[in-house]
């Protein structure tokens, strides 16, 4: 590990095979935590390459719980975290809208690492389980169109790395690649990143990882979600071609709103915001979800334009389907807990 760290500190990027070796060393109990932290910091300072990202992700997925699913098309929408915006849980709220619109969503997420409330925190507050078994993930996809994968539950070998990440106290490559490590074989994906300079690298990594299509975006104000506060920078990856473009929410009929207008709070507050959005209550929170869900529908190829996706997202909320999906997942979790207690 120290050999790789010194090489990276010297400004050298690791090859795919070297990064695989370094990642396996990170999982070894024989590697000191301080050596792992130094390596992660060195990578961050140098700036991670497509090869380094793809190699790390593939090793993580090889070591993850295997989750075979019967659905032929599965989507995920997830931000990397690390943007420091303290926004509400945008991608989690949007995932219910995407599921209500007919997509099969395998939503990969975690507790808060660098933000106040992570996706797992708000889901737990809603009454949704975090420890679904692989067969339950498939059942949920078939019954409700959405299943949630709690990262520590499906990546058991990451427990030690998580504590090291927290000790570092700032974003590392793991913030960037979290959404890419979903153990389900995804067809398409929407990934939000807080670093616009990494859009092309992540889009290229998604192609290498087998995605047919994807959008990688960095929001106005440095958010890891699309924002109403200005120009959002996106890359559309379609069959290996990566096309950069910008998008302002006003171009798709949504109003401007500042980042302060979409701030969240603790898990209880964010659960209330999520529920208000799915009930269709007008607010910058709702408009932000419409924008992100619209982009997700476009990334999945179910609509021909983002504006069409925004309209479809709005209809999915207004007709109650998004809210119904949320209630169905909560009911599944509660029934599951009842069966466990009374088994």
């Amino acid at each position: 590990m120290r050999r790789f760290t010194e090489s990276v500190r010297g400004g050298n990027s690791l090859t795919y095979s070297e990064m695989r070796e370094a990642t396996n060393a990170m999982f070894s109990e024989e590697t000191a935590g301080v050596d792992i932290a130094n390596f992660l910091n060195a990578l961050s300072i140098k700036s991670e390459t497509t090869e380094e990202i793809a190699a790390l992700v593939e090793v993580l997925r090889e070591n993850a719980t295997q989750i075979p699913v019967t659905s032929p098309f599965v989507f995920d929408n997830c931000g990397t975290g690390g943007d420091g915006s303290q926004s509400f849980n945008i991608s989690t709220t949007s995932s219910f809208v995407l599921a209500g619109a007919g997509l099969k969503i395998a939503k990969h997420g975690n507790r808060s690492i660098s933000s106040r409330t992570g996706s797992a925190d708000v889901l737990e507050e809603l009454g949704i389980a975090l420890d679904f078994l692989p067969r339950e993930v498939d059942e949920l996809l078939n019954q409700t169109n959405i299943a949630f994968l709690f990262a520590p539950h499906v990546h058991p070998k990451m427990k030690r790395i998580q504590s090291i990440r927290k000790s570092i106290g700032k974003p590392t490559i793991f913030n960037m690649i979290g959404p890419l490590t979903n153990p389900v074989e995804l067809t398409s994906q929407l990934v939000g990143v807080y670093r616009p300079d990494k859009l092309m690298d992540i889009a290229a990594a998604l192609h290498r990882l087998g995605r047919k299509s994807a959008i990688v975006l960095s929001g106005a104000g440095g958010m890891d979600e699309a924002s109403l506060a200005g120009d959002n920078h996106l890359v559309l990856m379609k069959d290996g071609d990566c096309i950069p473009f910008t998008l302002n929410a006003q171009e798709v009929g949504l109003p401007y709103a500042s980042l302060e207008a979409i701030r969240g709070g603790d898990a209880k507050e964010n659960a209330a915001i999520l529920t208000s959005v799915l009930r269709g209550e007008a607010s910058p929170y709702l408009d932000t979800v419409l924008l992100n869900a619209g982009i997700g529908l476009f990334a999945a190829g179910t609509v021909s334009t983002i504006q069409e996706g925004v309209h479809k997202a709005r209809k999915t909320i207004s007709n109650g389907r998004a809210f119904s999906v949320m209630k169905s997942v909560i009911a599944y979790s509660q029934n599951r807990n009842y069966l466990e207690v009374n088994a």
Side-chain angles (χ1 to χ4, degrees):
M1 181 60 77
R2 291 176 185 174
R3 172 170 56 91
F4 292 128
T5 301
E6 289 307 311
S7 179
V8 170
R9 281 176 174 166
N12 302 305
S13 294
L14 301 183
T15 65
Y16 176 82
S17 60
E18 287 174 332
M19 189 62 186
R20 283 188 60 94
E21 187 178 344
T23 303
N24 282 314
M26 277 193 279
F27 283 142
S28 171
E29 292 295 329
E30 297 176 2
T31 304
V34 66
D35 291 333
I36 297 171
N38 288 339
F39 176 69
L40 294 175
N41 275 321
L43 270 183
S44 180
I45 292 167
K46 177 188 71 69
S47 189
E48 304 85 348
T49 65
T50 297
E51 292 291 293
E52 289 165 345
I53 293 169
L56 175 60
V57 169
E58 291 196 346
V59 173
L60 286 173
R61 294 187 74 246
E62 287 166 7
N63 283 276
T65 301
Q66 298 305 298
I67 305 180
V69 297
T70 53
S71 300
F73 184 102
V74 185
F75 188 86
D76 186 13
N77 67 311
C78 189
T80 57
D83 65 7
S85 69
Q86 304 301 317
S87 64
F88 75 108
N89 299 95
I90 298 169
S91 64
T92 303
T93 311
S94 300
S95 68
F96 289 112
V97 181
L98 295 170
L103 290 182
K104 300 288 187 182
I105 309 295
K107 184 76 172 70
H108 189 246
N110 206 340
R111 294 195 186 278
S112 170
I113 299 293
S114 56
S115 62
R116 189 171 174 188
T117 305
S119 62
D121 301 304
V122 77
L123 291 170
E124 194 171 53
E125 180 65 30
L126 289 168
I128 293 173
L130 301 179
D131 59 348
F132 293 119
L133 301 172
R135 63 169 179 78
E136 292 177 309
V137 170
D138 196 40
E139 282 180 7
L140 278 162
L141 286 174
N142 290 323
Q143 293 177 21
T144 71
N145 280 356
I146 191 166
F148 294 97
L149 309 173
F150 182 39
H153 184 62
V154 296
H155 296 286
K157 290 191 176 181
M158 278 291 294
K159 185 175 182 179
R160 184 172 178 231
I161 303 296
Q162 287 293 81
S163 62
I164 294 170
R165 287 178 64 191
K166 287 190 175 183
S167 72
I168 293 171
K170 61 181 181 180
T172 68
I173 190 173
F174 283 100
N175 290 83
M176 197 184 313
I177 57 87
L180 280 62
T181 64
N182 193 321
V184 172
E185 288 293 336
L186 301 174
T187 314
S188 185
Q189 193 164 2
L190 170 62
V191 178
V193 299
Y194 63 95
R195 290 177 56 182
D197 61 307
K198 304 309 292 184
L199 294 178
M200 280 292 189
D201 284 328
I202 293 178
L206 285 167
H207 172 61
R208 177 160 186 163
L209 293 167
R211 311 295 190 265
K212 302 300 182 186
S213 65
I215 284 181
V216 187
L217 67 83
S218 184
M223 287 191 66
D224 68 335
E225 311 279 0
S227 164
L228 306 171
D231 288 340
N232 301 284
H233 297 274
L234 305 89
V235 172
L236 169 65
M237 190 282 289
K238 184 73 173 175
D239 297 325
D241 294 326
C242 295
I243 306 162
F245 65 103
T246 59
L247 176 71
N248 192 295
Q250 295 173 31
E251 297 171 32
V252 292
L254 295 169
Y256 170 89
S258 68
L259 298 186
E260 288 73 21
I262 58 167
R263 284 189 182 278
D266 60 19
K268 191 177 187 67
E269 292 170 293
N270 281 13
I273 292 169
L274 183 154
T275 302
S276 75
V277 169
L278 298 187
R279 289 186 184 278
E281 296 176 16
S283 69
Y285 300 119
L286 171 62
D287 293 334
T288 300
V289 168
L290 291 175
L291 177 61
N292 282 275
I295 294 170
L297 290 167
F298 178 66
T302 61
V303 294
S304 56
T305 67
I306 292 173
Q307 186 160 18
E308 184 185 343
V310 170
H311 290 320
K312 186 167 185 175
R314 191 185 297 277
K315 183 177 180 181
T316 302
I317 291 173
S318 65
N319 64 21
R321 287 179 184 162
F323 188 79
S324 177
V325 167
M326 180 190 73
K327 298 300 287 184
S328 295
V329 181
I330 294 171
Y332 184 100
S333 293
Q334 291 175 340
N335 185 57
R336 168 181 185 263
N337 292 337
Y338 175 83
L339 291 175
E340 286 177 351
V341 170
N342 291 276

